[in-house]
Amino acid sequence: MRNRFVSPARLALERLEARDVPAFAVQIDYSFDTAGFFADPARRAVLQRAVDDVAAQLNTNLPALAPGGGNSWEATFFNPASGAEVRVPNLAVAANTIIVYAGGRNLPGAEAGVGGFGGYTASGSQSWYSTIQSRGPGFPLWGGALAFDNAGTNWYFGTSAAGIGSTQVDFYSVAAHEFGHALGLGTSAKWNSLVSGGKFTGANAMSVYGGPVPLAGTAHWADGITVGGVPVALDPSAVLGARVSFSALDYAALRDVGWNSDTAALPPAPPPGPSPPPFVPVPINSPPAAGGRPVVLTGPADGTAQAFKLDADGYLRSAGDKVQAFPGYTGGTRAVAADFNGDGTDDLVFGTGPGVGAAVRVVDGKTGAELAGTTRVLDGFAGGVFLAAADIDRDGRAELAVSADAGGGTRVIVYKLTAAGLAPVVDFLAFGDPNFRGGSRVAMADVNRDGAADLVVGAGLGGGPRVAVYNGSALAAGRADRLVPDFFALDPTLRSGVYVAAADVNGDRYADVIYSTGTTGGPRVRVVSGAVLVANPGADVAALPALADFFTWDSRDRKGLRVAARDLDGDGRAELVAATADPTNAFVRVIRLSEMGNPTSPLNNPLGSPLTIDGVYPG
């Protein structure tokens, strides 16, 4: 039997699970890979890891299949290289082992993979029949076959999710998804017996989901389903550039079709590590002579963040040593600086990038002590987080906004730092859209000049350049009330997402709203006056006069652009910090209002290396 993994505009997902030795072995056979899709050992390694990660959470007793003495059989499956049926006579299968044939071929349309378990014919004694028929989790299982597209799919074959490009399909994710079909999800008779009225009614799955689980067709969960904010592996499609592994719902369904599971497959813990090394404080409150504030940059492939200050020559210079965002963790990070304890010094907040369960950590910028240790957020979503921080309740202490990157929808949570750690103040879906899976980006500043910072949210990859602005005073009271109606910041047909920043760039004490064309658009930035925005609620923002509308560098660049805004020189007006998403050329440009329109400030590489995981993140 087989099931196709089909995706029209989006493809697969996954989140990396902690791995143990698999309870049963998955032996992958490449003898039918005549096209050479798996000629590269690195591809084989990723496939083996994907299937082992799933198998590690399962246990069952699989007897050996040893034909002979009058007992014979044929294993039947589809040829990964052609799709035609294949028969292998008297295949020997060791105890507690399944054999999976893998290969590549040109799959039709936008299919990335095809997977399913195999069939059989047999002759011999009754005990031989019984051995074959009882081998598996409620249905005969000796193994199966997986085929992957070798023509039109832009694959990413890395073991770490941190390097996935925004237009790539994560192979690990597709492999785990298709292996689920080989284990009976969406393909077995037991699964089909639990499908009723377009929903899956397995008791374990309903317990996790809270009721019958909606399906897309009969073989996948409905598109966009999450459990506790975590995407699911059996989704029929996924946002490009994301990784999602088996969720609690996927493992629950495996139990429903007959597998035993040693774990409820909760999202992984925050990034593990040894006891923190001695902290080297970042003198984040040691500004240049003019009295400005530093900006924090992340992006290096060592999991570090570093604060920088602006010199008179327009270059960013180090304001302190590199800081390990999460001890023992070297993946992608994001960071932001704000005063969380009211001591007049900006503190540092670190957030995880794609590939591990979402977590944040708050560090005192003056002493280096932890104000909040590594804290799991967004239910452990593994696609990465975006951060913003400012004071929404006028108590002189910043609050933290956390949003999900691509694959995590538009969920935003605002946290307050308490003696016990980070406590949620408000948790909501930006734009009120539960179906969009491209994630969102956040910024915070006082747009309406009432003394409370407001929250600006921009849609992520795949969405139009939609921006929402939420009233900070309402957020402090636990409500997500809009300050102005949502608007399209740029051409509504753009699908590159939009990065956002907010700060007072013209000195009128209204925070201005700044946005760029996101992940794949040209390096265009538009700055709209906060005063004008508040005075014209519901207006077509694209038609409002802009403080600036320009390209930060070569307009032909399509690597992506990220923005932040801080008063780096102490003149009461924020500067724009424009950073490239190009992983091979980590440059940054600081642009004052007077230069917006025709930037002449230097392009510089303050990180000291042209290479990053996926470009530079300013905060």
Side-chain angles (χ1 to χ4, degrees):
M1 299 178 65
R2 69 178 183 176
N3 191 282
R4 296 180 182 274
F5 180 36
V6 182
S7 171
R10 304 185 301 160
L11 295 114
L13 283 159
E14 185 229 271
R15 180 176 47 78
L16 186 63
E17 296 287 347
R19 294 184 295 140
D20 300 307
V21 176
F24 62 91
V26 183
Q27 178 184 327
I28 304 177
D29 188 305
Y30 298 99
S31 59
F32 288 90
D33 184 31
T34 56
F37 183 81
F38 287 103
D40 183 351
R43 297 187 181 188
R44 297 189 181 195
V46 176
L47 177 58
Q48 190 71 60
R49 179 172 177 172
V51 300
D52 284 351
D53 281 352
V54 177
Q57 310 295 343
L58 307 175
N59 62 75
T60 190
N61 183 28
L62 302 173
L65 295 180
N71 295 325
S72 64
W73 77 301
E74 284 187 328
T76 61
F77 55 95
F78 68 87
N79 187 334
S82 66
E85 184 179 75
V86 175
R87 294 177 176 271
V88 176
N90 291 324
L91 179 68
V93 186
N96 294 319
T97 299
I98 65 173
I99 298 175
V100 174
Y101 292 89
R105 71 175 187 268
N106 186 355
L107 296 177
E111 285 183 308
V114 176
F117 62 86
Y120 71 97
T121 60
S123 63
S125 66
Q126 183 57 51
S127 62
W128 173 244
Y129 277 108
S130 297
T131 298
I132 297 174
Q133 290 173 344
S134 63
R135 192 183 202 271
F139 61 93
L141 180 66
W142 59 263
L146 308 176
F148 301 94
D149 181 56
N150 65 0
T153 301
N154 181 18
W155 290 110
Y156 169 76
F157 289 103
T159 55
S160 168
I164 304 174
S166 61
T167 62
Q168 289 184 297
V169 179
D170 180 42
F171 178 75
Y172 178 108
S173 303
V174 178
H177 175 111
E178 299 303 341
F179 184 57
H181 289 314
L183 296 177
L185 296 185
T187 56
S188 66
K190 180 63 173 177
W191 168 281
N192 292 331
S193 72
L194 296 172
V195 174
S196 177
K199 296 183 178 181
F200 185 74
T201 61
N204 292 291
M206 288 197 298
S207 176
V208 170
Y209 188 72
V213 188
L215 298 174
T218 60
H220 298 92
W221 307 130
D223 195 12
I225 276 183
T226 61
V227 176
V230 177
V232 294
L234 206 62
D235 194 301
S237 61
V239 178
L240 296 174
R243 173 167 287 189
V244 173
S245 67
F246 267 52
S247 68
L249 180 61
D250 300 304
Y251 281 110
L254 283 171
R255 293 195 294 274
D256 285 326
V257 300
W259 290 96
N260 295 319
S261 176
D262 290 328
T263 175
L266 294 174
S275 298
F279 181 86
V280 180
V282 175
I284 198 160
N285 207 35
S286 59
R293 299 172 64 192
V295 61
V296 183
L297 302 180
T298 59
D302 57 4
T304 60
Q306 192 169 11
F308 295 87
K309 62 185 180 181
L310 182 67
D311 277 357
D313 59 4
Y315 285 90
L316 290 173
R317 310 293 186 188
S318 171
D321 294 331
K322 288 185 176 182
V323 177
Q324 201 71 37
F326 299 93
Y329 170 68
T330 58
T333 60
R334 287 86 187 261
V336 69
D339 183 4
F340 282 85
N341 58 4
D343 67 354
T345 300
D346 278 353
D347 309 301
L348 293 174
V349 186
F350 306 116
T352 53
V356 295
V360 298
R361 176 173 174 249
V362 186
V363 174
D364 190 314
K366 181 179 291 186
T367 68
E370 282 191 335
L371 298 177
T374 300
T375 304
R376 182 171 175 246
V377 295
L378 296 176
D379 298 317
F381 166 71
V385 301
F386 288 105
L387 308 174
D391 180 11
I392 64 172
D393 57 7
R394 306 181 182 89
D395 68 348
R397 300 169 184 243
E399 280 71 47
L400 174 67
V402 181
S403 68
D405 203 341
T410 59
R411 187 181 182 193
V412 178
I413 305 178
V414 178
Y415 294 91
K416 186 172 185 64
L417 181 66
T418 70
L422 291 171
V425 176
V426 62
D427 182 343
F428 67 101
L429 290 180
F431 315 117
D433 186 354
N435 298 314
F436 178 63
R437 309 302 304 165
S440 61
R441 294 80 181 259
V442 289
M444 297 177 76
D446 185 7
V447 176
N448 63 348
R449 198 176 166 179
D450 68 349
D454 307 300
L455 174 68
V456 181
V457 184
L461 182 65
R466 185 174 177 182
V467 174
V469 183
Y470 292 90
N471 187 293
S473 297
L475 292 173
R479 304 189 316 274
D481 295 346
R482 287 169 170 80
L483 184 65
V484 295
D486 295 1
F487 58 89
F488 284 106
L490 300 161
D491 183 348
T493 64
L494 290 174
R495 289 296 177 268
S496 57
V498 58
Y499 281 94
V500 292
D504 180 10
V505 303
N506 62 356
D508 66 356
R509 298 175 58 194
Y510 288 87
D512 306 302
V513 177
I514 304 163
Y515 41 86
S516 69
T517 45
T519 305
T520 59
R524 180 184 174 189
V525 169
R526 196 166 193 267
V527 184
V528 175
S529 162
V532 172
L533 189 64
V534 171
N536 295 273
D540 179 2
V541 173
L544 291 175
L547 290 174
D549 189 344
F550 65 103
F551 290 98
T552 56
W553 43 74
D554 189 342
S555 63
R556 297 167 295 181
D557 184 286
R558 290 297 184 272
K559 297 296 195 307
L561 170 68
R562 295 154 186 156
V563 292
R566 294 175 73 84
D567 183 5
L568 300 175
D569 59 8
D571 68 350
R573 302 181 181 190
E575 284 70 48
L576 172 71
V577 182
T580 181
D582 184 352
T584 63
N585 190 12
F587 62 86
V588 175
R589 169 172 266 171
V590 177
I591 306 171
R592 294 180 171 87
L593 177 62
S594 60
E595 295 181 357
M596 294 181 185
N598 183 28
T600 58
S601 54
L603 295 175
N604 61 102
N605 181 7
L607 297 177
S609 169
L611 300 178
T612 59
I613 293 176
D614 62 343
V616 183
Y617 289 88

